[in-house]
Each structure stands twice: as structure tokens, then as C-alpha cells.
Amino acid sequence: MAFASKSPAGPSDIPAPLQPSWIGPVSEGTERAVPNDYDSFAEAYSAENETSLINAYYERPAMLDLAGDVAGRRILDAGCGSGPLSAALRDRGAVVTGFDSSAKMLELARRRLGDDADLHLADLSDRLPFPDAAFDDVVASLVLHYLADWTAPLAELRRVLRPGGRLIVSVNHPFVDFLEAARSGGGYFGVRETREEWTLGGHTALMRFYGRPLHAMTDAFSAAGFRIAVMSEPPPAPGARELFPDAFADRPTDSFVCFLFFVLEAA
């Protein structure tokens, strides 16, 4: 998960992107740390994820809305983290399998979902431990933007989906990524690496993400054998403005630009 660092707003109807207070520029003491080491702050991040505007009242509700009626569907939660999306899908009747590259996150997911939960330690950059056409849907919630190259990961997600199955994706919005890149003289085209420092629960971690233009995303989906059924820029869940008034103080509507959502159909 990434957020654009706050930059000066342009016209009055275009507020600066949201930035939680625990995200900042990389400091000298953090720059040589292992990037994206969720094991180092899993408990703190999971606790933040439970109630935050961006996760609990924006990204997760949007993913569930796009998934729709999932009763009886076999769903793979790719990069499941501590399991909040898996739990919500299971509560709606789905048969859920999850994997993550963080052992600590999987411990938290098992605590949430129970000892019999179908959870696996795996990395989306590698071949996945599932047979061909094993799932009706895959949800990839704020996962792909950790990867510099989407080619092999998307091929794997297509492999484990049945024909006609869905890949439901949320990623950093390319426009927000571009605003951040532009602050340091970067351009829109091409893949851009971004680094941030996250400090939660007294733990500081180095986070690394890769932004890319919209056409690079859609080209990668098509090359992997997916058809774009939906592309969405949704508002947050009802009640978000009342719960987080400071975040909406300079926003005339409830909508903001943060993530971009896709529903992709496997050919």
C-alpha cells in the first residue's frame, strides 16, 4: 500500500493527495533497510489497517463492491496480509485461500481466520503453489505496485484462474504517482521507483513502490490474457466524511484520487 506524499494543491478544486501522518520521506538511518519488510511492523500496520480511512472506508469496501455476490466462489487473496479482506469475503460465503510473503502477516491472518484457514507463505514474484484453473476469482489488493515487472506475476494469476474467472485489482493511481514523481523532476511515462518511510507503533520501515502510466497497466493486463471489464475510481464508503472530517476539510465532495480499481476477466 502506498500514498502520495502531500504536495501543494493546484486549483482550489484539486486538493493535495491524502497523506497519513505516519508516512514521510526516507531518512538517512532508514535508506539502507530491507524494503517492504512487513515482518518488522506487522502488528502495527494491521492495527492501522483495521480502522483507517484509506483501507477500512475506501479500498476494502471498493474491492468488496466490485466482487459482488461471492457466495460459493473459490477466491484467492493474493497478498492477503493479516486477512481483513479474506475475512470479509468468507463472511459473504466465499471459499477463500490466501497467501502472503510475510510470515508475520500470515500469523495475524491465521489468528483472525482460524487454524483451519487455507493460508500459504508465497511470493507473487515466484510460481504460486496452486494448480491451474483452481479459482473463480483472484483479489489482488494493493499488491501489484510493489513489483517492477508485472509480466510473470500476471501470468501466474491468469494460470490459477479458470477461463472466465475474474482478477480484481487495486493499485496506486497513476495520476497520484505522477504528481509525486513530478515533484522530483520525473515524468509520467515509464516505470518509476518511489521510496517512503513508514513509522507505526514505534517501528520504522523502508517502503518501495513502482508507479507506471495507465497504458502500461492495461497493456500488461491484455498481454497476460485478461479483458478489462471494469475500471473504477470510487468514492469512499458512506459515513467516511463524518468519521474523518479533517481529511475532507478542503474537499468539496466525498471523492478523492488515491487508488485505481480494475475487474479483469480471464480469456
Side-chain angles (χ1 to χ4, degrees):
M1 181 188 65
F3 306 90
S5 298
K6 193 162 187 175
S7 54
S12 59
D13 61 342
I14 307 177
L18 295 176
Q19 180 191 346
S21 60
W22 42 270
I23 294 178
V26 178
S27 64
E28 184 176 348
T30 307
E31 61 185 8
R32 285 184 290 276
V34 176
N36 307 330
D37 182 13
Y38 273 98
D39 282 351
S40 68
F41 68 125
E43 291 268 7
Y45 174 74
S46 182
E48 173 69 21
N49 189 289
E50 293 297 315
T51 58
S52 69
L53 167 61
I54 296 300
N55 296 106
Y57 290 89
Y58 176 57
E59 193 274 342
R60 201 150 56 242
M63 291 291 282
L64 292 170
D65 284 348
L66 290 172
D69 183 2
V70 296
R73 295 181 74 85
R74 302 164 299 162
I75 299 182
L76 177 64
D77 189 352
C80 63
S82 62
L85 184 56
S86 289
L89 291 166
R90 190 177 68 176
D91 289 347
R92 288 161 171 75
V95 179
V96 181
T97 297
F99 76 87
D100 202 277
S101 61
S102 166
K104 292 292 187 182
M105 281 294 195
L106 286 178
E107 287 180 14
L108 298 177
R110 195 166 298 281
R111 189 185 308 171
R112 183 197 302 267
L113 299 169
D115 291 339
D116 59 344
D118 188 12
L119 298 172
H120 302 259
L121 184 65
D123 195 311
L124 190 51
S125 298
D126 303 324
R127 183 173 175 84
L128 299 176
F130 311 111
D132 296 356
F135 300 101
D136 300 306
D137 300 314
V138 174
V139 291
S141 172
L142 305 177
V143 173
L144 289 177
H145 49 233
Y146 290 102
L147 305 172
D149 188 345
W150 289 6
T151 306
L154 286 176
E156 271 298 279
L157 295 180
R158 173 62 189 88
R159 180 185 66 78
V160 302
L161 272 171
R162 65 169 176 80
R166 301 178 302 170
L167 172 58
I168 304 171
V169 171
S170 59
V171 292
N172 287 342
H173 199 292
F175 178 67
V176 177
D177 278 341
F178 169 61
L179 289 179
E180 174 63 15
R183 295 177 68 236
S184 57
Y188 175 72
F189 297 100
V191 176
R192 306 171 300 275
E193 179 181 317
T194 299
R195 295 188 174 216
E196 297 173 345
E197 184 173 291
W198 291 7
T199 302
L200 287 166
H203 300 277
T204 297
L206 173 65
M207 307 304 292
R208 179 177 63 196
F209 312 97
Y210 295 92
R212 66 203 73 220
L214 179 59
H215 80 269
M217 296 182 185
T218 59
D219 287 351
F221 296 146
S222 297
F226 292 102
R227 182 184 71 84
I228 298 173
V230 176
M231 185 166 63
S232 178
E233 297 169 311
R241 177 180 285 272
E242 289 71 26
L243 289 168
F244 303 93
D246 291 346
F248 292 92
D250 60 349
R251 290 173 164 79
T253 71
D254 290 345
S255 296
F256 51 81
V257 179
C258 187
F259 303 129
L260 188 59
F261 299 80
F262 297 89
V263 178
L264 312 168
E265 295 179 352

